[in-house]
Every structure is written in C-alpha cells, then in structure tokens.
Amino acid sequence: MSSVSDTQFFTVGEPLVDTKAPAVPVNLMWDERRFQAKLVNPTNRRKRSVIIVGTGLAGGAAAATLGEAGYHVKNFCYQDSPRRAHSIAAQGGINAAKNYRNDGDSVHRLFYDTVKGGDYRSRESNVYRLSQVSVEIIDQCVAQGVPFAREYGGLLDNRSFGGVQVSRTFYARGQTGQQLLLGAYQALERQIGAGSVEMYTRHEMLDLIIVEGRARGIVVRDMVSGEIETHMADVVVLGTGGYGNVFFLSTNAMGCNVTATWRAHRKGAYFGNPCYTQIHPTCIPVSGEYQSKLTLMSESLRNDGRIWVPKEAGDNRDARQIPEDERDYYLERRYPAFGNLVPRDVASRAAKQVCDEGRGVGPGGRGVYLDFAEAITRLGRKAVEAKYGNLFEMYAQITGEDPYVTPMRIYPAVHYTMGGLWVDYDLESTIPGLFVIGEANFSDHGANRLGASALMQGLSDGYFVLPSTIANYLADAPFEAADASHPAAVEVTDAVRERVQRLLAINGTRTVDSFHKELGQIMWEYCGMERTAEGLTKAIGLIRALREEFWTNVRVTGTNEELNQTLERAGRVADFFELGELMCIDALHREESCGGHFRAEHQTPDGEALRDDENFAYVAAWEFGGDGGSPVLHKEDLIYEAIEMKQRSYK
C-alpha cells in the first residue's frame, strides 16, 4: 500500500525472491546450502582472484580466511592501516548462544530475540544462520588470543544487552571491537606476509566495473598521489560499513561513507530498506555547533546504570540534590520486564519523549541521566572500574565531569544502519559476482539491531558464511578474460576521472562541510527519530535543491594529484545527497512504524511503534532509476514459519 502523496517519487517493479535459501526447515538450511554449494579444489583456488573492499571485522576476516584458503586476494581500505577500520570503535561486546550462564539461552532464542528486536522486518533464513554461526565465532576468536573477560574461575564471562533476558554477550571491558579487530588483523597480516593477500591502504573505491553482467573490478583513487587505478578480479566483495554519516553528526568515524555501496547501487545493485537507521540511546549529548562527530557510551552501561529524569519539568537542580521520590526511572516504570535493557529504538524514543515534555537535563534540555550510584554502592567502585573503567575515563575526558561522582548525561545519536545493499542467502547482490558483507548489506537486523549483534554479523559473514558461498560462485570460473584495458574498465575509469575533474572545476563559494552539515540537519529533523509524511515530503524538496546548489557552488580546493581531503569529502557528500533522498522516499512510502522507523501517524495509544503487517511485511529493495529518474521499488515478501509474527512488547 502506498499513498497518493508518495507514489510521485517512485515506481513499482517486479517482486523479488531469494532463490538461494534451500526449501527445508530454517534450522536445516545452512547445512543443506553448504552441502548443495559447489566447491573449488585447492589447486584451482590459486587461479582465482578476489577483490575485497574494507578491512573491518567483515572485510578483514574475509580477506584473511580466503587468503588462508588459497585464493589470491586484493584488499583495499582508505585508512593508513587495516586496523584503523571503524570496527575498532565498537565497545560493549559480541553475542553468541553459548548458554554459559545456563539461563535458558539457545540458538533458537538468539534467533527469536533478533527477529523480535528487528520488529519482524528481517529474513528468517539469514537470522537463523547468524544465530547458528555465533557459537563458532567465540571459539575462533579465543583461538586467536582475543582477551575476553573471564570469571573468577577462568571461564569466559557474559553480560546482558538490550532486548533480551539472558546473558549472552562476550566482552573485553569497553573495547571489544578493538580486540576482535586486532585478532582479525593479525590473521590478515599473516596472509599478507605469506603473499596470498595484497594490501592496498590509502585507496578509496570510486566505482564498480561490470563485464558481461558480472562484477569484475573496481576503480580506486590513491589518496596520497591522486592516481586513478583500475583493479580486476573474478569476484568483488564489499565490506565497507554503514552510511550513518549522511546525518553529519553520528558516532561513526568521520571517514565512514556510502560511496562504495552507492556506486554499486548506481550500477544495478538494489538497496534494501535504506530508511532503517539506528539511533543509539546512550551517547554523549551534542555540546555545540563546532562538533563534527558524537561519542558513543556503550550499551553495556545499562547493565548497572539506571536511567532517569526529574519528575517535574524545569527542575534544574544538581542531580545529587534531587531525592529518590522526585526522580522518574522511566524505563523501569514503563517496561518492568526489561527495565533499562529495552532495545535501542525503544530506549531512544523514550528519552526523546521525556525531553520533549521539558524534563530533559543539561544544556538545552537534551539529555537524561545514566546513574551508577546504586551500582557503586552495591558492587563497590573497584568492581565498576573493572567493568567500565575505560568508558568512564572517556566520558570524563570529553565532558570534564566525574561519572563516579555525578550521573552521566546521555542522549540518542545516529549509530548504525540496518539498511544496505540487498543480498540473497549467499550474500550476493543483484549484480552477479558482487558480494556484500557486514553492515554494508541489509540482511540480518530488520528495522532495529540488537546491541552486540553488529560484531557477530561482521565476523559471521567474514569468517564463516562468505568463504562457503563465494566458492559456489567461483566454481563456475574461469570467466571472460578482462584486464584494465577491457573497454568496460576503460569506460568506468574515464568516467571517474571526469567526475573528479568536474568537482574540482566548480570553484564555488561554499565549503563541502557546510553542505554536509546542512544535509545532516535536514535528515535529522525530518528522517531521524520521528518522521511524518509532511516532513519527509519537505525533506525531499530541500535535499534536491541543496544538491543542485552543491553541483554549482561547492568549492573544492587543491588538485587531484596530491593528498586532497576536501576532494575526498566532496565525492562522499555528493553520494550522501542521493542516498539521503532515497532514505526519505523509503521512509515516506513505508506507512507504518517499525523498529527504528517511527512514523508519528502510526503509533499505539501509549506511543509505541504500530506495524502494518498486512501491507508492509516486506523488504523494500530499491533499483536505481538513472540520473533524473525515479527509483524502482521491488518487494521481497517476509514469510515467517518458525516464529509467529506479533506486536512487540517489552513491558
């Protein structure tokens, strides 16, 4: 169902079906698919080449694993070292259905929690496989030497995260992503040393090369010299992360961008559910106009920290001066079964609601308290330091406040994107030979990701899933011979050079960052935590006008033949304009509320998300409609057989 107001922005195409998932019960699919899949023998692997873009948990793990298997791998990243991929910033932990706490966990429960947490907008087959593989990830990482936290007796420790009632999250203090990435990085460096992986740092992918209908290469820019290079292979893998920086302010590293996946989208890869973005409830609030990014405070803090605001609006007293009976622990009050550990979308909307009521704290009233006084009294300061010490230090350095003495102030911020390039059960996009892994694809989290599941998906895709499914594709090689002189490669490379020169030639009066910041303000205001048809329609018009001004008035200084960060940012922001418009169109067409997509017109009487399963139980996979054309919507129906679809409740 689509309203008259939004159909002007898109057309509807043929339905989409995932043909790779075997027609067996969901708990048997992965074993059946691995058995059905064709193999490549060790001798032939040495004749096959793979391009992997990205060195985070998904890309780095995939490069290390495929290199170890014997394939010739070219691995690209725009950072100066593979270990500086944004996965290193993840804090709280990684989920796995090990049931070490004997508290009722299982593969099926992790599967159920993930589908429910995603508000029944994810694909059953992929989520069940993720839950199955989770138990193998922990063994792999322990074997690599990842220093997970351990209990007194030496066994691996677990803690809880939002949206669940068991403890299944493995962690390394507040720096789990860093330790997991260093494990993958060590495995990757071993393959680089062995010669099976060629590493290209400071190289940014600017376009995808398709030969005879297959993804066969990429065009990259050497970010130091400016040289435009062409690289060819038998298959291309994108592990390039999410697109949260379309909002300008987010918890992502400033270099995170959508260019690799967006250029693939323009070449024919469908984009799945772009409006599904995650607002993380525990971030340090915005402190001024000068900021260029925000800082995450791990969801793990909600294990022991209690979230509250004053009961009365306008109460500006010091938090320590407000007595217990004048505090509203609103999550514990509204959701007694889950308390402070409700899913991220629920916690974020609840924080916005109390701030909108005038009960927010800190500058501008855009904050709530995360209080550890009770935990320090119950556990002792040393125990709290052992769990969260580095997070407390980070908070103190940024805010100048001591969270051991006064409560933290937190507020929701853009953190993760559930949308991404559409992939089938094999993680292959709608372009044959283009595989997409980790946050760059749409496949596992529906409309809301549960905490500690991003690391799980990245390592699942990179270490275990892709190495099995990509072999099925490469078993059909060799493909048509193609090198940098192939007409298709030359055409794309020339187009990249022309686009770079076009950006440099505009010579306008506005900076790239001023355009990015204005775009981010539009996205946050109209396509952020709460959306309306009126606001989204307005946003589409504003984005189109701003994009037109960008291409006539942006000022990109310097030249291509040098280190030029302004040029880099200009190319990324140009793609953010197109993505931002598609996000608003997707949000406008989806006339329901689900997970992180909250349409104000569609909510329950008590302010919860109200789904429309009759009309919107599908994946929205968008096809690029050409420059100046309208995107084409393809619907993949979501069919639930192992889980009953019902209205979420965490009360």
Side-chain angles (χ1 to χ4, degrees):
M1 186 180 82
S2 298
S3 71
V4 175
S5 64
D6 62 300
T7 49
Q8 61 180 306
F9 297 118
F10 68 92
T11 59
V12 179
E14 293 297 314
L16 191 60
V17 178
D18 174 19
T19 59
K20 301 285 181 61
V24 297
V26 70
N27 61 314
L28 303 176
M29 281 185 184
W30 183 225
D31 286 341
E32 180 67 18
R33 180 60 187 144
R34 283 187 292 181
F35 179 72
Q36 289 177 356
K38 292 173 281 190
L39 303 177
V40 181
N41 75 49
T43 302
N44 285 339
R45 289 176 205 160
R46 293 194 292 271
K47 304 173 186 176
R48 306 288 175 255
S49 56
V50 182
I51 284 175
I52 299 178
V53 186
T55 58
L57 289 181
T65 306
L66 294 175
E68 179 77 37
Y71 298 101
H72 180 67
V73 179
K74 288 185 176 183
N75 198 189
F76 296 82
C77 69
Y78 67 78
Q79 297 90 347
D80 58 1
S81 167
R83 67 178 180 272
R84 297 196 67 172
H86 187 58
S87 298
I88 206 161
Q91 296 172 354
I94 178 171
N95 290 328
K98 286 284 198 181
N99 195 33
Y100 283 172
R101 288 291 184 90
N102 196 29
D103 55 2
D105 201 10
S106 64
V107 167
H108 192 85
R109 186 173 295 280
L110 174 54
F111 163 56
Y112 170 77
D113 286 344
T114 304
V115 172
K116 178 185 176 183
D119 216 352
Y120 301 90
R121 289 295 178 262
S122 53
R123 190 192 282 155
E124 265 196 352
S125 56
N126 290 60
V127 177
Y128 195 91
R129 177 177 63 193
L130 175 66
S131 305
Q132 280 180 293
V133 171
S134 70
V135 298
E136 301 175 51
I137 296 170
I138 302 304
D139 297 338
Q140 167 91 354
C141 294
V142 169
Q144 290 176 337
V146 172
F148 286 123
R150 294 179 180 268
E151 295 176 329
Y152 180 78
L155 300 177
L156 295 180
D157 196 12
N158 292 120
R159 57 189 179 198
S160 297
F161 260 62
V164 304
Q165 293 177 306
V166 298
S167 295
R168 65 163 69 101
T169 305
F170 296 78
Y171 65 97
R173 294 186 76 194
Q175 50 191 229
T176 313
Q178 180 187 63
Q179 299 305 322
L180 292 173
L181 185 61
L182 290 176
Y185 168 71
Q186 289 170 171
L188 174 60
E189 285 295 317
R190 179 173 177 271
Q191 296 308 312
I192 293 171
S196 59
V197 176
E198 290 182 63
M199 188 69 234
Y200 294 84
T201 59
R202 305 303 300 273
H203 283 69
E204 182 170 21
M205 175 181 162
L206 296 182
D207 218 331
L208 178 72
I209 298 169
I210 299 176
V211 177
E212 295 296 319
R214 298 179 186 268
R216 293 295 305 276
I218 60 174
V219 177
V220 299
R221 179 177 178 271
D222 183 321
M223 297 163 66
V224 177
S225 69
E227 182 179 355
I228 305 298
E229 303 173 3
T230 305
H231 294 267
M232 306 297 287
D234 292 311
V235 66
V236 177
V237 180
L238 300 183
T240 51
Y243 48 89
N245 274 352
V246 69
F247 291 90
F248 186 70
L249 285 178
S250 80
T251 65
N252 290 182
M254 289 183 64
C256 294
N257 64 85
V258 75
T259 290
T261 49
W262 190 255
R263 305 319 287 182
H265 171 62
R266 289 176 61 94
K267 287 292 172 67
Y270 292 1
F271 210 110
N273 300 330
C275 79
Y276 288 167
T277 54
Q278 179 160 87
I279 313 295
H280 198 295
T282 53
C283 301
I284 297 177
V286 175
S287 59
E289 286 293 315
Y290 57 85
Q291 278 185 275
S292 54
K293 79 174 300 295
L294 298 173
T295 303
L296 172 72
M297 286 285 102
S298 170
E299 181 169 317
S300 63
L301 294 170
R302 290 197 273 148
N303 274 272
D304 292 304
R306 300 179 70 195
I307 296 174
W308 64 276
V309 292
K311 286 185 176 179
E312 297 296 326
D315 189 339
N316 296 320
R317 287 178 290 174
D318 184 297
R320 292 166 291 183
Q321 303 303 316
I322 301 177
E324 279 291 313
D325 61 356
E326 295 180 33
R327 301 179 178 188
D328 180 13
Y329 294 91
Y330 58 89
L331 291 178
E332 298 173 25
R333 171 175 56 81
R334 292 178 58 179
Y335 308 100
F338 285 76
N340 293 297
L341 286 173
V342 291
R344 292 174 176 178
D345 60 316
V346 176
S348 292
R349 280 196 297 275
K352 182 180 184 298
Q353 288 168 4
V354 296
C355 290
D356 288 348
E357 293 168 4
R359 296 193 287 145
V361 301
R366 288 289 151 185
V368 299
Y369 289 126
L370 180 60
D371 196 337
F372 287 85
E374 186 272 338
I376 292 172
T377 301
R378 173 169 48 89
L379 301 171
R381 175 165 171 155
K382 285 188 175 180
V384 173
E385 285 179 352
K387 283 185 174 182
Y388 312 117
N390 66 307
L391 298 171
F392 278 46
E393 290 168 13
M394 187 189 312
Y395 181 87
Q397 288 175 359
I398 291 172
T399 65
E401 300 171 4
D402 185 353
Y404 292 105
V405 178
T406 60
M408 289 183 178
R409 287 179 295 106
I410 57 169
Y411 192 70
V414 175
H415 177 60
Y416 186 89
T417 53
M418 286 74 67
L421 292 185
W422 184 92
V423 292
D424 60 21
Y425 192 64
D426 281 2
L427 305 182
E428 188 174 12
S429 73
T430 48
I431 300 175
L434 178 67
F435 290 76
V436 191
I437 57 178
E439 190 179 354
N441 74 33
F442 89 102
S443 67
D444 293 347
H445 306 295
N448 174 66
R449 177 176 67 76
L450 291 184
S453 289
L455 306 186
M456 175 173 62
Q457 185 204 351
L459 292 181
S460 168
D461 288 356
Y463 281 138
F464 299 104
V465 180
L466 180 75
S468 294
T469 61
I470 203 170
N472 181 70
Y473 178 82
L474 289 171
D476 292 335
F479 307 121
E480 176 190 342
D483 59 19
S485 65
H486 190 284
V490 172
E491 180 183 357
V492 175
T493 306
D494 288 345
V496 168
R497 290 195 177 100
E498 289 172 11
R499 188 168 189 260
V500 168
Q501 291 307 315
R502 182 184 174 195
L503 286 167
L504 290 166
I506 296 170
N507 200 29
T509 61
R510 285 189 61 178
T511 65
V512 175
D513 283 356
S514 74
F515 280 105
H516 193 183
K517 183 177 287 189
E518 187 173 345
L519 172 64
Q521 289 167 344
I522 294 169
M523 295 300 296
W524 179 252
E525 180 68 23
Y526 301 112
C527 198
M529 271 194 284
E530 185 174 295
R531 303 153 179 189
T532 65
E534 181 183 2
L536 291 163
T537 303
K538 180 179 179 180
I540 292 168
L542 291 172
I543 292 169
R544 288 176 174 177
L546 190 62
R547 181 174 70 234
E548 186 175 336
E549 183 187 354
F550 173 87
W551 282 106
T552 58
N553 195 33
V554 72
R555 184 174 182 82
V556 181
T557 56
T559 66
N560 176 59
E561 290 73 27
E562 62 179 343
L563 175 64
N564 190 337
Q565 293 184 320
T566 304
L567 176 61
E568 295 163 17
R569 291 198 299 271
R572 297 166 187 169
V573 173
D575 291 330
F576 278 142
F577 278 122
E578 297 180 9
L579 167 70
E581 180 179 333
L582 183 62
M583 289 171 64
C584 292
I585 292 172
D586 187 36
L588 181 61
H589 110 278
R590 188 170 284 278
E591 293 194 27
E592 65 165 352
S593 293
C594 55
H597 168 64
F598 189 78
R599 284 284 296 270
E601 306 96 328
H602 304 285
Q603 55 184 301
T604 63
D606 54 352
E608 302 293 344
L610 183 62
R611 295 197 322 267
D612 180 356
D613 294 337
E614 182 178 348
N615 293 299
F616 291 98
Y618 61 77
V619 176
W622 295 91
E623 178 184 359
F624 183 64
D627 289 319
S630 299
V632 181
L633 171 63
H634 300 270
K635 301 176 183 180
E636 179 200 347
D637 289 334
L638 292 169
I639 300 169
Y640 289 93
E641 297 176 342
I643 290 178
E644 178 190 358
M645 189 186 298
K646 56 188 177 183
Q647 195 68 27
R648 278 193 317 175
S649 175
Y650 292 95
K651 293 188 174 181

